[in-house]
Amino acid sequence: MTRTMESRRMDGMTTLEQDLVHLARMALAGRSQDVQMLLQRMARRYSRSNEAIGEALQALLRDAPSADAPLRGLGNAAPVPLDMDSRVPLIRPDHLAPSITPVLSGSVREAVDQICDEHLGRDRLLKAGLSPSASALFVGPPGVGKTLVARWIASRLKLPLLVLDLSSVMSSYLGRTGGNIRKVLDYAKASPSILLLDELDTVAKRRDDGAEVGELKRLVTVLLQEIDDWPASSLLLAATNHGDLLDPAVWRRFEMVIDFPLPDAVQLRKALEQYSERDAPDDVLTVIARALALQGASYSEAHRVVTSARRRAALAEQPLKETLLSACGEQLRQLPFAERVRLAVDLVQSDHMSQRRVHELSGISRDTIRDRLRRQESQE
């Protein structure tokens, strides 16, 4: 086979000179991801033979400069992008630091810790020719802590959190919505940051959904292209309450997918302690947590119960435990009678509460509790 003129020109070049030619070709073609991968290989290769070049390339990768983000590492001085029609900001900085540590299941905490460890240990990854995860998808019902975890990650990584306002991105002129999304993501790429795409299913619906118009389907393609080009020096987070609505290709683009389940009674109990600032009787919180868990409640619903009790306590100038007792009764009354009886018996058996205290909290008579206990003992 006849050799190409370019391959003949490469003869006689050193490895470094050949890498520079490949790098220039990729840069001119706008292939930013390929450029970053080649630089990673070069940094790893030359760190052994030319320490100065290796360290310089690692520094560049750490700050991840690109044609799309010339201000990376220098701070984002660009104005916040606006929708051309409404002049409403398309993105908003979220400066709310988490006031509590999120209560998470073991699998969620492990995944979140891995994301933080990768970004905090970026230098070690770069030396090994690797880069930290650039994107993660949070999937779960409302109120399970997806936004709180995004704030927690931003706090741990000391990066600004930017939140995409999907209601403003969806322009009245559908043809402009794709441009709005690009403007938002380009702005977020301009300096190290965390971008949260909340309610991702609003714009990333399945492309085989016959109810959607062609323009909305094209938005999915725009979004996929932007996710593919996301720099590893920043973090792209997306959250959805309806994972079944997402286009399958969207799932594959995210490096990590984290499922947020509804909390169990133990997790709700820990959350209630934080919400009440540990100013409530343990047994009352235990009963509320168990009742909420039986109802399939989320953290936001547990927070609502405690906040309402604290407001009533402040207005009536009562101790919080009094209004929480009332809240406890309200939660229990939402359970079917059979569920309340089972809960009352279980509290006596497992939490070492007296029958009198369980009766006060649950409203189930002590005679009923004793009768159920005798039945269980006879069956054993």
Side-chain angles (χ1 to χ4, degrees), residues 22-96:
H22 289 314
L23 184 63
R25 183 188 304 111
M26 292 174 183
L28 290 172
R31 292 156 53 189
S32 59
Q33 292 297 312
D34 291 338
V35 168
Q36 193 170 58
M37 291 178 63
L38 177 57
L39 287 175
Q40 288 172 357
R41 289 197 297 269
M42 292 173 64
R44 185 169 65 252
R45 178 188 301 152
Y46 297 116
S47 62
R48 294 188 290 268
S49 61
N50 191 320
E51 187 176 348
I53 292 179
E55 290 180 354
L57 290 177
Q58 288 173 9
L60 286 173
L61 286 166
R62 184 167 54 248
D63 295 330
S66 70
D68 292 329
L71 299 179
R72 185 172 309 285
L74 301 178
N76 194 343
V80 174
L82 305 176
D83 178 73
M84 291 181 61
D85 305 319
S86 63
R87 308 305 295 171
V88 172
L90 297 172
I91 198 171
R92 61 178 175 83
D94 188 320
H95 301 297
L96 294 176

Side-chain angles (χ1 to χ4, degrees), residues 34-311:
D34 291 338
V35 168
Q36 193 170 58
M37 291 178 63
L38 177 57
L39 287 175
Q40 288 172 357
R41 289 197 297 269
M42 292 173 64
R44 185 169 65 252
R45 178 188 301 152
Y46 297 116
S47 62
R48 294 188 290 268
S49 61
N50 191 320
E51 187 176 348
I53 292 179
E55 290 180 354
L57 290 177
Q58 288 173 9
L60 286 173
L61 286 166
R62 184 167 54 248
D63 295 330
S66 70
D68 292 329
L71 299 179
R72 185 172 309 285
L74 301 178
N76 194 343
V80 174
L82 305 176
D83 178 73
M84 291 181 61
D85 305 319
S86 63
R87 308 305 295 171
V88 172
L90 297 172
I91 198 171
R92 61 178 175 83
D94 188 320
H95 301 297
L96 294 176
S99 57
I100 61 173
T101 300
V103 179
L104 305 173
S105 66
S107 60
V108 173
R109 178 171 290 277
E110 182 179 344
V112 170
D113 285 344
Q114 180 180 339
I115 290 174
C116 293
D117 289 344
E118 288 181 6
H119 281 263
L120 292 172
R122 182 185 296 111
D123 290 347
R124 295 194 300 274
L125 291 177
L126 291 175
K127 287 181 180 179
L130 302 170
S131 58
S133 300
S135 59
L137 175 61
F138 294 171
V139 183
V144 292
K146 298 188 292 296
T147 302
L148 177 61
V149 167
R151 289 174 178 153
W152 190 46
I153 292 174
S155 176
R156 290 176 64 178
L157 299 184
K158 295 181 172 56
L159 289 175
L161 176 62
L162 307 173
V163 180
L164 174 62
D165 187 344
L166 289 170
S167 62
S168 62
V169 166
M170 298 297 288
S171 172
S172 57
Y173 297 95
L174 288 177
R176 294 180 181 172
T177 302
N180 281 346
I181 291 178
R182 283 197 175 94
K183 284 194 292 185
V184 166
L185 273 74
D186 285 344
Y187 176 84
K189 288 178 184 179
S191 62
S193 63
I194 296 176
L195 175 63
L196 174 62
L197 305 178
D198 204 5
E199 299 183 29
L200 181 65
D201 48 275
T202 303
V203 295
K205 293 182 179 179
R206 299 174 64 95
R207 283 174 286 186
D208 59 3
D209 185 351
E212 297 298 340
V213 298
E215 180 59 33
L216 289 178
K217 294 177 182 179
R218 284 189 287 274
L219 287 178
V220 178
T221 302
V222 171
L223 188 61
L224 295 181
Q225 293 170 347
E226 294 292 340
I227 294 174
D228 283 342
D229 195 40
W230 194 255
S233 61
S234 294
L235 182 61
L236 176 64
L237 301 177
T240 178
N241 303 332
H242 306 286
D244 55 309
L245 297 180
L246 293 181
D247 189 281
V250 174
W251 290 84
R252 295 192 295 270
R253 286 318 199 278
F254 286 94
E255 296 184 58
M256 297 183 68
V257 176
I258 305 177
D259 288 309
F260 284 68
L262 285 169
D264 59 22
V266 174
Q267 292 160 354
L268 284 169
R269 174 71 170 72
K270 292 179 181 178
L272 289 169
E273 281 184 4
Q274 294 187 16
Y275 302 151
S276 63
E277 298 180 353
R278 294 174 174 79
D279 185 24
D282 290 344
D283 53 2
V284 174
L285 296 182
T286 296
V287 176
I288 294 176
R290 299 283 283 275
L292 288 170
L294 288 171
Q295 298 172 47
S298 65
Y299 291 118
S300 63
E301 290 167 308
H303 186 267
R304 176 183 54 78
V305 169
V306 174
T307 301
S308 177
R310 294 182 67 179
R311 287 171 179 156

Side-chain angles (χ1 to χ4, degrees), residues 15-26:
T15 302
L16 175 57
E17 290 169 339
Q18 291 178 7
D19 283 341
L20 289 175
V21 172
H22 289 314
L23 184 63
R25 183 188 304 111
M26 292 174 183

